[in-house]
Amino acid sequence: MEFLIDRLPLYLGGAWVTVQLTVGGIALAFVLAMFFGVLGTARSGLLRAVSTVYVEVFRGIAALVLMFWMAYALPLLTGFQLDGRFAAILAVGLNVGAYGAEVVRGAINAVPRAQTEATIALDMSWAQRMRLVILPQAWAQMLPTFGNLSIELMKATAVAFLIGVADITAVAEQMRQATGETVLAFSGALILYFLIAQVLIFGVRLLERRANRRLGRTPPGGRGLLALLRPPAVTASGGAK
């Protein structure tokens, strides 16, 4: 324990870098997932094809290889050297965004057809239908999987030290080489990754409760801190309560 306490500032510095990579990657992945996911539900075959190309290309490329390509191959082609952190964010964001796009597309398609027909009968524009009716319902279905993808993205950033990013894993490796304490050095990294994951889980649970409450699915007494820590209840129809 003394080993970890003495080196806590170094670990916290690495944790801050990991948080930056995670937040940046999640932001990029979310924008890409929403854009290409909605595009994947368009009536136009060309737009659906564009979405499919993005999803299949970046879902089929390993995040680590894409990270290396961004950091080492892209500068050779363009003459522009990306910052290591930015390269890592691009790699994990593009990769996870492709998985997220399929989640968005599936959630939108899962909204009952009668809802869409009702909006058409009310003469709503496409933008109004998506903003007011379809996306609010699809959003509640997306969130659990988005939470899983966010945690996977955070864990994927652990390889960013291979392109020179001083994240948690880099600090743990430096401590191992400097002290020879392999178990203690990487135990500190394990603890920090676990804590970051718990924060992400809590945040997603909060968003789930809020989304379900807006749809009238909040169970009685489900508004306190303990309710946020509990997984959302599942109804007989398969939806979260």
Side-chain angles (χ1 to χ4, degrees), residues 11 14 18 39-40 47 51-52 64-65 81 110 132 151 175 189 195-196 205 212 217 225 235:
Y11 278 102
T18 295
L39 214 62
L47 294 179
S51 175
T52 300
L64 177 58
V65 176
Q81 180 67 54
L132 299 175
I151 294 172
M175 293 301 101
L195 292 176
I196 295 173
R205 291 266 169 83
N212 287 319
R217 298 174 182 171
L225 177 60
T235 63

Side-chain angles (χ1 to χ4, degrees), residues 94-154:
L94 287 167
N95 184 259
V96 175
Y99 288 95
E102 283 295 276
V103 174
V104 174
R105 184 181 66 83
I108 291 175
N109 288 336
V111 175
R113 178 66 183 172
Q115 299 281 347
T116 302
E117 293 174 350
T119 60
I120 294 173
L122 292 172
D123 198 28
M124 287 186 177
S125 66
W126 177 87
Q128 289 176 320
R129 292 200 300 269
M130 294 298 293
R131 181 172 60 88
L132 299 175
V133 178
I134 298 174
L135 282 180
Q137 296 182 66
W139 176 244
Q141 299 184 54
M142 299 174 202
L143 279 171
T145 308
F146 273 179
N148 292 335
L149 290 177
S150 296
I151 294 172
E152 290 300 318
L153 185 149
M154 183 270 294

Side-chain angles (χ1 to χ4, degrees), residues 55-222:
V55 169
E56 296 304 326
V57 168
F58 287 101
R59 196 168 56 169
I61 299 176
L64 177 58
V65 176
L66 185 58
M67 199 177 295
F68 281 162
W69 195 89
M70 292 288 184
Y72 301 126
L74 188 61
L76 296 177
L77 296 175
T78 64
F80 182 74
Q81 180 67 54
L82 294 177
D83 176 75
R85 296 185 194 185
F86 187 61
I89 289 172
L90 279 179
V92 296
L94 287 167
N95 184 259
V96 175
Y99 288 95
E102 283 295 276
V103 174
V104 174
R105 184 181 66 83
I108 291 175
N109 288 336
V111 175
R113 178 66 183 172
Q115 299 281 347
T116 302
E117 293 174 350
T119 60
I120 294 173
L122 292 172
D123 198 28
M124 287 186 177
S125 66
W126 177 87
Q128 289 176 320
R129 292 200 300 269
M130 294 298 293
R131 181 172 60 88
L132 299 175
V133 178
I134 298 174
L135 282 180
Q137 296 182 66
W139 176 244
Q141 299 184 54
M142 299 174 202
L143 279 171
T145 308
F146 273 179
N148 292 335
L149 290 177
S150 296
I151 294 172
E152 290 300 318
L153 185 149
M154 183 270 294
K155 292 188 290 187
T157 65
V159 298
F161 83 101
L162 294 174
I163 60 172
V165 178
D167 65 345
I168 296 174
T169 308
V171 171
E173 177 61 17
Q174 290 170 4
M175 293 301 101
R176 184 192 70 81
Q177 293 180 1
T179 65
E181 293 285 353
T182 302
V183 174
L184 291 175
F186 285 103
S187 293
L190 286 175
I191 293 170
L192 288 173
Y193 278 117
F194 175 78
L195 292 176
I196 295 173
Q198 297 313 300
V199 172
L200 290 174
I201 291 170
F202 182 83
V204 171
R205 291 266 169 83
L206 182 62
L207 290 174
E208 284 184 61
R209 296 285 172 176
R210 181 178 179 182
N212 287 319
R213 185 164 63 246
R214 292 182 65 182
L215 295 175
R217 298 174 182 171
T218 304

